[in-house]
Amino acid sequence: MAVIFDGSRRDVEESLEMLTMEKEFDSKLVLQGNSSNGETISRSKSFAFKAPQENFKIQDFELDKIYGVGSYSKVVRAKRKENGAVYALKIMDKKFITKENKTSYVKLERIVLDQLEHPGVVKLFFTFQDTFSLYMALESCEGGELFDQITRKGRLSEDEARFYSAEVVDALEYIHNMGLIHRDIKPENLLLTSDGHIKIADFGSVKPMQDSQITVLPNAASDDKACTFVGTAAYVPPEVLNSSPATFGNDLWALGCTLYQMLSGTSPFKDASEWLIFQRIIARDIKFPNHFSEAARDLIDRLLSLLIRETQVLSSGTLSQDTDPSRRPGAGSEGYASLKRHPFFKGVDWKNLRSQTPPKLAPDPSSQTASPERDGSPWNLTHVGDASVMQNDGHGGLSSTSESSGSITRLASIDSFDSRWQQFLEPGESVLMISAVKKLQKITSKKVQLILTNKPRLIYVDPSKLVVKGNIIWSDNSNDLNVQVSSPSHFKICTPKKVLSFEDAKQRALQWKKAIETLQNR
Ligand SMILES: Nc1ncnc2c1ncn2[C@@H]1O[C@H](COP(=O)(O)OP(=O)(O)OP(=O)(O)O)[C@@H](O)[C@H]1O
């Protein structure tokens, strides 16, 4: 999801509210509203969530495959035993959320999703909790991420891209009309239903505008002043890098990047590190592949227009600047009309989008080739819900679901492109997964950069001295190399000679296990 750079430490007590959050749902709240004469008034309003807080237990559900892992959640396909209804269960560890000061983001996502109702937005059905976790039962998007469709197809045709981007525009218009900025539009957050329609997901970075129609609970909104930026590096507009306040135009820039990615296969400002990506964004360094049509090129060019307008030379000799949101179609005074009538969308039946036939989905190659026992194995629980449901896969670790071998490359975070680590690679070798982890020893622990490459090689590097501290001998045989996960952040890499214990603060223990196993079974 989003990279959220916090510039401040939130009050720990506020974070603890997470634990009582679900209890607040039915409480009466004092809301700030505007009277017709413009004065701010306080009014008491009974606030009840549409998606109820249920008293379910995790054992009421049959858990299937993991849809994905976010920075503070896992999303698992779950079937309610009583009636067979299928959900995407977003599972969040309370302790982790509190420790990482994510309380306000979680609250906001819950509250916002509760009030949104649009075929292009993932629906929240209900929530529940237990001692360890909060659960959000979301509409299950069985078609996966648009990102995977782009990866599997290499790139999309203009007709496919037109269909998907029109559905995104339609949903974004609704979200913006509700007074919300999504702030993390990207192909990973555009999910597909089993029949291939788009649903916007991941409202963890959402920003309600002043006049938003969304009711926000106290302390649910993220503290913007504390943030350097919210979003994902490759899709962040230049004005956000300049600390300008969030506007609807931010999402339209991200839409432009997403459309470019659909048509080309990669994001427009791709580079070797976040810093280089930011330089490209600021310089607006875009190269259009030759196969882009004139209409596609023009639309992307407009969506990726800079908002800054240099107006006049001041007496100091510097230029005064102001912003002009109308430069991005959809953000100006004409609203979405100007975006929808752009030549790229010629022929789109905006009123009946959802009854159109979507592009054919490219199937997940791993689900076709995976062996039956891997494919059919349900996701065993650990650290999710109460301890009584913990299960073991016989190796002391967890059974994981079948996972696309293609998706292994996605596990590599943006820092895998950090040039610092390139020096440890041989020609043609690339990083598949990388984490700043703690290597736990009996008494002490050491920070290391754990790196998995396509060779395959598994090494760990001292990040300050930039020297290789260890090379874990690779084997495709799980008797000679296996990973045991004991919690979302703790895992052991076991070889016949050594057992190395690691702690990944970003809770990617299960991802490490999956990455290594996927490579062993390639
Ligand atoms: N309703 C859903 N149906 C199917 N898959 C989903 C659904 N919601 C999320 N996912 C999958 O789970 C992954 C993790 O989702 P989640 O919202 O927890 O994290 P994220 O917000 O995308 O990541 P981060 O928290 O790092 O920003 C998503 O990338 C997506 O692939």
Side-chain angles (χ1 to χ4, degrees):
M1 101 147 180
V3 182
I4 298 175
F5 292 95
D6 260 351
S8 75
R9 288 187 53 197
R10 276 199 188 74
D11 190 342
V12 174
E13 277 176 20
E14 188 215 312
S15 302
L16 287 170
E17 282 174 23
M18 188 70 245
L19 305 174
T20 52
M21 175 179 125
E22 295 286 324
K23 289 188 187 134
E24 289 173 9
F25 287 177
D26 300 321
S27 64
K28 300 215 176 214
L29 299 164
V30 177
L31 304 170
Q32 295 297 309
N34 285 318
S35 65
S36 52
N37 63 10
E39 282 171 28
T40 299
I41 55 161
S42 287
R43 65 195 155 95
S44 205
K45 183 177 168 185
S46 180
F47 190 93
F49 284 95
K50 276 193 259 170
Q53 182 199 4
E54 300 286 5
N55 283 323
F56 296 144
K57 289 193 278 310
I58 190 65
Q59 292 89 336
D60 295 334
F61 297 83
E62 221 169 79
L63 299 189
D64 187 3
K65 63 178 180 178
I66 302 177
Y67 277 135
V69 181
S71 49
Y72 54 86
S73 60
K74 284 181 200 73
V75 180
V76 182
R77 189 176 189 274
K79 194 191 276 185
R80 197 167 153 219
K81 288 177 187 165
E82 193 183 285
N83 59 9
V86 171
Y87 303 98
L89 205 56
K90 183 160 174 163
I91 306 173
M92 293 159 284
D93 181 76
K94 287 177 178 176
K95 230 183 186 168
F96 182 78
I97 289 167
T98 310
K99 195 168 127 244
E100 297 288 312
N101 291 334
K102 299 291 183 209
T103 322
S104 54
Y105 300 107
V106 175
K107 281 184 181 181
L108 192 58
E109 181 170 30
R110 197 272 187 239
I111 290 154
V112 164
L113 276 181
D114 189 70
Q115 294 171 71
L116 295 182
E117 208 167 340
H118 187 274
V121 174
V122 161
K123 187 173 164 56
L124 173 69
F125 289 99
F126 54 83
T127 63
F128 61 100
Q129 63 173 321
D130 58 31
T131 319
F132 300 111
S133 307
L134 293 170
Y135 304 86
M136 284 204 260
L138 300 163
E139 178 178 8
S140 179
C141 297
E142 311 260 325
E145 298 174 8
L146 180 63
F147 180 95
D148 291 320
Q149 288 302 309
I150 301 172
T151 310
R152 284 174 209 155
K153 292 181 176 175
R155 61 177 154 95
L156 307 185
S157 70
E158 285 216 5
D159 282 343
E160 290 173 320
R162 184 172 8 266
F163 179 88
Y164 290 134
S165 50
E167 288 205 332
V168 178
V169 166
D170 181 51
L172 262 187
E173 180 178 24
Y174 167 77
I175 292 168
H176 288 176
N177 282 340
M178 295 298 279
L180 297 169
I181 311 168
H182 183 280
R183 296 203 292 184
D184 203 15
I185 295 294
K186 59 178 177 179
E188 289 92 327
N189 287 337
L190 302 175
L191 304 183
L192 293 156
T193 58
S194 54
D195 55 353
H197 287 282
I198 290 272
K199 303 257 173 190
I200 298 185
D202 190 3
F203 283 74
S205 312
V206 75
K207 164 93 182 154
M209 299 299 272
Q210 202 96 48
D211 56 354
S212 170
Q213 295 182 40
I214 295 289
T215 302
V216 180
L217 291 174
N219 301 324
S222 55
D223 177 4
D224 244 11
K225 282 179 232 132
C227 296
T228 311
F229 85 73
V230 173
T232 302
Y235 307 88
V236 163
E239 68 273 12
V240 170
L241 296 175
N242 285 328
S243 310
S244 297
T247 67
F248 298 126
N250 301 164
D251 287 341
L252 294 161
W253 171 281
L255 171 68
C257 295
T258 302
L259 177 55
Y260 181 104
Q261 189 160 348
M262 287 187 220
L263 293 171
S264 73
T266 57
S267 58
F269 304 105
K270 198 179 159 141
D271 214 315
S273 70
E274 273 187 12
W275 189 82
L276 288 170
I277 289 173
F278 294 156
Q279 298 312 304
R280 270 180 186 268
I281 292 172
I282 289 164
R284 201 176 168 277
D285 181 7
I286 318 161
K287 288 180 188 72
F288 289 104
N290 288 336
H291 67 265
F292 279 28
S293 71
E294 200 44 56
R297 201 180 289 235
D298 184 77
L299 176 57
I300 295 166
D301 196 47
R302 288 171 193 269
L303 289 169
L304 298 184
S305 59
L306 300 177
L307 295 188
I308 304 295
R309 187 168 53 183
E310 288 168 353
T311 44
Q312 50 179 307
V313 180
L314 300 175
S315 52
S316 60
T318 55
L319 286 171
S320 82
Q321 297 182 323
D322 67 344
T323 57
D324 179 8
S326 65
R327 288 177 173 217
R328 284 180 203 154
S333 53
E334 263 195 278
Y336 271 72
S338 67
L339 178 54
K340 289 175 161 180
R341 65 162 184 263
H342 188 279
F344 179 74
F345 291 122
K346 194 167 172 223
V348 169
D349 181 359
W350 291 100
K351 289 219 166 70
N352 299 301
L353 276 178
R354 299 271 151 183
S355 53
Q356 309 291 303
T357 308
K360 206 168 170 329
L361 293 177
D364 179 352
S366 71
S367 65
Q368 293 172 327
T369 54
S371 63
E373 65 273 19
R374 274 183 72 76
D375 209 18
S377 64
W379 187 55
N380 288 331
L381 289 159
T382 186
H383 199 84
V384 169
D386 298 314
S388 57
V389 295
M390 278 167 83
Q391 291 176 40
N392 193 288
D393 65 359
H395 299 284
L398 291 164
S399 298
S400 64
T401 55
S402 61
E403 178 85 359
S404 154
S405 55
S407 71
I408 191 172
T409 47
R410 285 185 40 227
L411 296 176
S413 67
I414 189 83
D415 54 359
S416 64
F417 302 108
D418 189 318
S419 53
R420 270 185 303 167
W421 318 119
Q422 300 299 320
Q423 59 183 298
F424 302 108
L425 307 182
E426 290 167 17
E429 193 176 16
S430 60
V431 172
L432 292 183
M433 180 148 178
I434 185 164
S435 285
V437 294
K438 274 191 200 152
K439 183 169 167 286
L440 306 174
Q441 282 146 345
K442 272 202 184 107
I443 303 172
T444 57
S445 69
K446 280 208 173 83
K447 279 187 187 167
V448 295
Q449 200 74 23
L450 185 61
I451 303 173
L452 173 67
T453 77
N454 62 344
K455 210 165 179 269
R457 244 172 10 120
L458 194 49
I459 56 170
Y460 52 97
V461 169
D462 180 327
S464 44
K465 293 188 187 133
L466 287 177
V467 288
V468 176
K469 298 301 275 185
N471 188 353
I472 302 166
I473 296 178
W474 183 265
S475 169
D476 285 347
N477 184 338
S478 62
N479 291 326
D480 295 329
L481 176 68
N482 66 72
V483 182
Q484 297 182 3
V485 174
S486 51
S487 81
S489 46
H490 290 82
F491 62 104
K492 287 181 180 154
I493 300 182
C494 309
T495 67
K497 284 199 171 158
K498 262 189 196 168
V499 175
L500 299 152
S501 300
F502 296 99
E503 181 186 339
D504 185 339
K506 286 193 178 159
Q507 294 211 314
R508 296 196 291 183
L510 207 51
Q511 279 172 291
W512 272 104
K513 180 178 168 71
K514 279 191 284 176
I516 290 169
E517 286 178 353
T518 308
L519 212 53
Q520 286 176 315
N521 296 321
R522 69 198 177 281

